[in-house]
Amino acid sequence: MTDQNTPKNDRPLRDDDDLRDLLERMLERASRRQVWLMFIDARGCLGEPLIPMEGYPEDPNALTRTEDLGELTEAQLLVQRADLLREVTSSESVVIVWERIGPPAVGVDDREWARAMRDAAFALRVPLRAQFILHDGGVRLLHLDDIL
């Protein structure tokens, strides 16, 4: 367990349990449907910025078009933008937190988004450290079994 008195950006996160504990203290519980993009620095600490984004699309596989990237899925677009922010902030990896009202059980929407993001990150070689659900009662780490 990490030292609770160390500022969040100076606390090395040795494993996903450390990261989950930190997220639970910071975010507590869900209040709306949104996605958080977070970044881990070279020291293994949570870096800046922490970006909440309301209103992400319902379907991660829906096609969208941008001027700079052309046509791609919503998940690919989100991964591309997260990677751009990761590079700009000189971070090592990306963490995604899916905030939504409800129980900790993994639902269809959670599974579809998490799987699409995992696949897009892999295809685009974006270092995705972990994905979590922020629900009514706290934070749940999404394991591989949760999204298959």
Side-chain angles (χ1 to χ4, degrees):
M1 189 61 106
T2 55
D3 177 7
Q4 305 291 328
N5 297 319
T6 306
K8 70 177 174 16
N9 59 348
D10 289 333
R11 195 177 301 151
L13 304 164
R14 296 181 308 262
D15 56 34
D16 290 336
D17 288 335
D18 282 350
L19 180 52
R20 186 199 65 238
D21 291 345
L22 176 62
L23 293 174
E24 214 159 53
R25 283 191 306 278
M26 289 173 45
L27 302 176
E28 296 181 10
R29 58 190 41 71
S31 62
R32 65 182 60 93
R33 183 178 185 271
Q34 65 183 350
V35 61
W36 291 80
L37 297 180
M38 300 178 183
F39 304 93
I40 304 296
D41 67 20
R43 302 170 302 151
C45 301
L46 185 63
E48 298 289 337
L50 308 177
I51 304 172
M53 297 184 316
E54 274 192 74
Y56 63 93
E58 294 294 325
D59 182 359
N61 298 305
L63 293 177
T64 189
R65 177 171 290 284
T66 67
E67 282 190 32
D68 58 333
L69 299 172
E71 188 173 78
L72 66 170
T73 68
E74 294 287 356
Q76 290 168 331
L77 177 60
L78 185 53
V79 165
Q80 290 273 11
R81 296 303 188 229
D83 194 44
L84 178 64
L85 289 167
R86 181 191 65 80
E87 289 176 357
V88 166
T89 60
S90 300
S91 297
E92 293 290 316
S93 61
V94 177
V95 173
I96 298 172
V97 179
W98 303 100
E99 180 179 350
R100 50 98 174 124
I101 305 296
V106 179
V108 173
D109 187 50
D110 304 319
R111 187 174 293 112
E112 287 178 2
W113 266 103
R115 184 183 309 131
M117 293 298 284
R118 179 207 59 193
D119 293 348
F122 178 79
L124 298 167
R125 295 185 167 161
V126 175
L128 179 58
R129 167 142 175 204
Q131 296 185 77
F132 294 86
I133 295 173
L134 176 62
H135 53 83
D136 289 352
V139 177
R140 175 186 176 148
L141 172 65
L142 287 169
H143 297 279
L144 183 58
D145 290 349
D146 293 326
I147 63 174
L148 292 178

